[in-house]
Amino acid sequence: MSKTYCGLVLFMLAGMLNSAAAPLPGLPFMKYYSSQEYQGGIQNFAIAQSDMGMMYVANNFGLLEYDGTSWRRYSLPNSTKVRDVLLDEQGLIYASGQGEFGYFMPDEKGLLQFQSLLQVLPEAYRDLEEVWQIIKIHEYLYFCTNEHIFMFNAAHEFVDVISSTSTFESFHHTNNQLIVNQWGSGLYSIENGSLVFMEQTDLLKDKLISGIVSFANEKHLLFTRDDGVYYHDGGKIVRWETAFPASTQINQAIRLKSGNIAIGTQSDGVFVLEASGATILHLDKTNGLQNNTILSLFEDVSGNLWMGHNNGITLLELSLPFRQIDQFSGLSGTGYDAYFYQDKTYYGTNNGLFVQDDDGSLLDNVSAVAGSSGHVYKIAEIQNQLLMAHNDGAFKVGASAVSPLLTSTGIWNFQSLKHHPEKFISGSYNGVMLFDVKDGQIRF
């Protein structure tokens, strides 16, 4: 059975990405925030959200706060970069950066004030460089640097320090575990304040782990910055085969609520993969993304994906039941109509008629239908024949080209007559036109 899509630019697709189904035509809606708009620095290293829906971004000019309408910026006492931001159940906003860490909390006017925890550290550790990450597991907070991980309790009292024998390269919170990437030796989990080696990960001792996605039974996907992705099940490590290029430099990877995996890269934009490794979506500057470098990823409570770039912030609205079909998704012109007919989707734009096989792919296989150049107003099925209402007249749509039915005036639409199914009328630039269908032939 054939059917008409109401509106070409917006498709109502209930499954969308959250269903982990095959790729769908078009692209999700996205909103880009430039540094001029949020009045901050260009780089955005981490993103978080409060229970009230407020967004917080670790920016190289400070902490950004966004309420959905306006942006505010708060600085650390030393006015340096904010590297990470984390919110707890009590509404405290933890932030860390160059030589500083602590938390913001609102004053009586609702403005954020910073309380440093630097002075709580033993004096021998206060000469800090970067505090890269903040991780909260149960009642403990971990503030992570290249040399040390400082452990605090819920009362903000210093508990312990975990030191690296070489350098901590990255830190990962997954399945209520803190996993650290120690250069030259591999991965360690933090258990009872001690480093516990993860079996077989010495095979990755000279690789920077940029993301960890965990599954049941101690199974993990290990994303390296420069050497692809590995699967670790505790007893062995094997390379994980994916559809995106092995040369892709990965900055971060997170698992979405849908079970899909989002990957932010250094120069190739963002990928969304199924758990099997199949690519569902790839966005870069060629199809609408404003910046190809993604430093941070965050999925909000609505299922939308926020991306912090090295210049700006993008909100990718994965939760909307709509997709956008435009020049970035492979279609030329402004959309006027679309129709599904005999396992093909036809798109009518002001630049002509386009067709795509219904093979589950994105619009990279769309092609122009010969003879249709110009403004298409309507695509309709009459008596099992596909017709096109066009600025240049009425046309029958064939397998590879259109053929004219009437070219003396522009045609807006087609309508079958209820009590005379062998006839249909058309609205035209010059009034109403009558057509007759007999033995499969259409006559004006």
Side-chain angles (χ1 to χ4, degrees):
M1 183 177 70
S2 301
K3 56 188 176 183
T4 299
Y5 293 124
C6 296
L8 171 61
V9 177
L10 309 182
F11 271 10
M12 188 169 183
L13 298 168
M16 246 233 357
L17 287 179
N18 291 343
S19 67
L24 299 170
L27 298 170
F29 283 84
M30 66 182 88
K31 164 67 176 173
Y32 174 72
Y33 302 92
S34 69
S35 57
Q36 289 77 22
E37 185 168 356
Y38 57 71
Q39 293 294 298
I42 59 174
Q43 295 174 308
N44 298 283
F45 304 107
I47 305 172
Q49 186 178 34
S50 72
D51 291 339
M52 301 294 290
M54 301 281 280
M55 302 302 303
Y56 295 91
V57 181
N59 180 264
N60 63 324
F61 277 14
L63 179 71
L64 305 178
E65 181 184 61
Y66 182 54
D67 61 10
T69 302
S70 57
W71 294 86
R72 288 164 293 278
R73 177 164 55 89
Y74 298 93
S75 297
L76 296 179
N78 56 5
S79 299
T80 58
K81 297 177 181 181
V82 175
R83 291 292 190 181
D84 198 19
V85 57
L86 179 143
L87 277 71
D88 72 0
E89 297 81 2
Q90 285 70 47
L92 295 181
I93 305 160
Y94 293 93
S96 65
Q98 293 178 324
E100 185 63 272
F101 67 97
Y103 58 92
F104 288 92
M105 60 185 305
D107 61 16
E108 64 277 3
K109 297 180 180 179
L111 300 176
L112 299 182
Q113 303 296 331
F114 186 74
Q115 176 62 54
S116 175
L117 294 176
L118 183 62
Q119 300 306 313
V120 182
L121 280 182
E123 189 171 353
Y125 298 114
R126 292 179 192 171
D127 186 16
L128 296 176
E129 292 184 1
E130 300 276 2
V131 183
W132 293 102
Q133 202 158 342
I134 311 164
I135 293 172
K136 187 174 189 296
I137 299 177
H138 303 304
E139 70 273 24
Y140 293 107
L141 285 158
Y142 300 87
F143 297 91
C144 306
T145 75
N146 289 132
E147 296 180 351
H148 308 289
I149 299 172
F150 302 112
M151 186 176 176
F152 283 69
N153 62 20
H156 299 144
E157 298 169 329
F158 175 76
V159 175
D160 201 359
V161 60
I162 302 164
S163 299
S164 172
T165 57
S166 57
T167 300
F168 291 137
E169 289 288 325
S170 62
F171 314 88
H172 309 274
H173 181 197
T174 176
N175 282 0
N176 279 322
Q177 271 189 314
L178 170 53
I179 297 176
V180 297
N181 173 204
Q182 184 168 246
W183 187 256
S185 53
L187 295 178
Y188 294 79
S189 62
I190 306 295
E191 298 179 17
N192 298 319
S194 300
L195 294 171
V196 177
F197 180 69
M198 295 176 63
E199 188 179 351
Q200 296 294 315
T201 62
D202 56 331
L203 298 174
L204 305 176
K205 62 184 180 181
D206 58 349
K207 304 183 190 306
L208 174 58
I209 306 300
S210 54
I212 297 179
V213 171
S214 294
F215 302 95
N217 301 319
E218 299 299 316
K219 294 179 172 61
H220 309 277
L221 285 177
L222 308 177
F223 294 80
T224 72
R225 188 187 63 184
D226 304 304
D227 193 42
V229 188
Y230 293 83
Y231 177 75
H232 176 244
D233 69 356
K236 61 181 179 180
I237 288 181
V238 296
R239 190 174 285 276
W240 191 55
E241 298 301 329
T242 62
F244 69 88
S247 60
T248 302
Q249 193 174 69
I250 300 170
N251 286 336
Q252 191 174 13
I254 63 171
R255 193 173 191 186
L256 305 177
K257 297 180 183 72
S258 64
N260 296 329
I261 299 167
I263 300 171
T265 74
Q266 180 63 24
S267 56
D268 296 308
V270 63
F271 292 85
V272 178
L273 309 183
E274 291 181 339
S276 65
T279 299
I280 298 173
L281 178 69
H282 176 216
L283 291 175
D284 59 17
K285 292 184 75 171
T286 66
N287 56 8
L289 202 64
Q290 295 292 313
N291 189 290
N292 277 350
T293 300
I294 297 172
L295 303 178
S296 55
L297 294 168
F298 178 78
E299 185 181 20
D300 67 20
V301 294
S302 299
N304 298 313
L305 184 64
W306 292 78
M307 296 176 279
H309 300 288
N310 70 337
N311 193 343
I313 301 166
T314 294
L315 167 60
L316 188 62
E317 299 187 79
L318 296 182
S319 66
L320 286 180
F322 298 97
R323 299 295 289 270
Q324 180 168 306
I325 296 178
D326 56 14
Q327 71 273 22
F328 292 121
S329 46
L331 193 65
S332 171
T334 301
Y336 278 79
D337 199 15
Y339 198 85
F340 184 73
Y341 179 76
Q342 294 184 353
D343 296 326
K344 298 179 186 292
T345 303
Y346 290 85
Y347 305 98
T349 81
N350 66 316
N351 287 339
L353 184 68
F354 299 84
V355 62
Q356 177 199 19
D357 288 329
D358 184 34
D359 59 1
S361 67
L362 298 178
L363 290 185
D364 52 3
N365 66 338
V366 70
S367 58
V369 177
S372 69
S373 179
H375 201 137
V376 177
Y377 293 113
K378 183 71 175 177
I379 309 167
E381 184 181 358
I382 303 289
Q383 293 284 316
N384 298 317
Q385 298 187 63
L386 193 64
L387 306 182
M388 176 182 73
H390 193 281
N391 179 67
D392 295 335
F395 295 82
K396 179 180 176 180
V397 180
S400 59
V402 299
S403 56
L405 300 174
L406 175 70
T407 58
S408 59
T409 182
I411 297 292
W412 297 109
N413 56 17
F414 304 100
Q415 178 61 57
S416 296
L417 300 181
K418 182 176 181 180
H419 298 295
H420 298 276
E422 77 284 1
K423 292 177 169 41
F424 64 90
I425 58 174
S426 291
S428 79
Y429 291 178
N430 296 326
V432 177
M433 305 293 181
L434 178 65
F435 292 84
D436 180 76
V437 183
K438 186 175 181 180
D439 297 328
Q441 300 298 312
I442 301 174
R443 180 176 62 91
F444 169 62

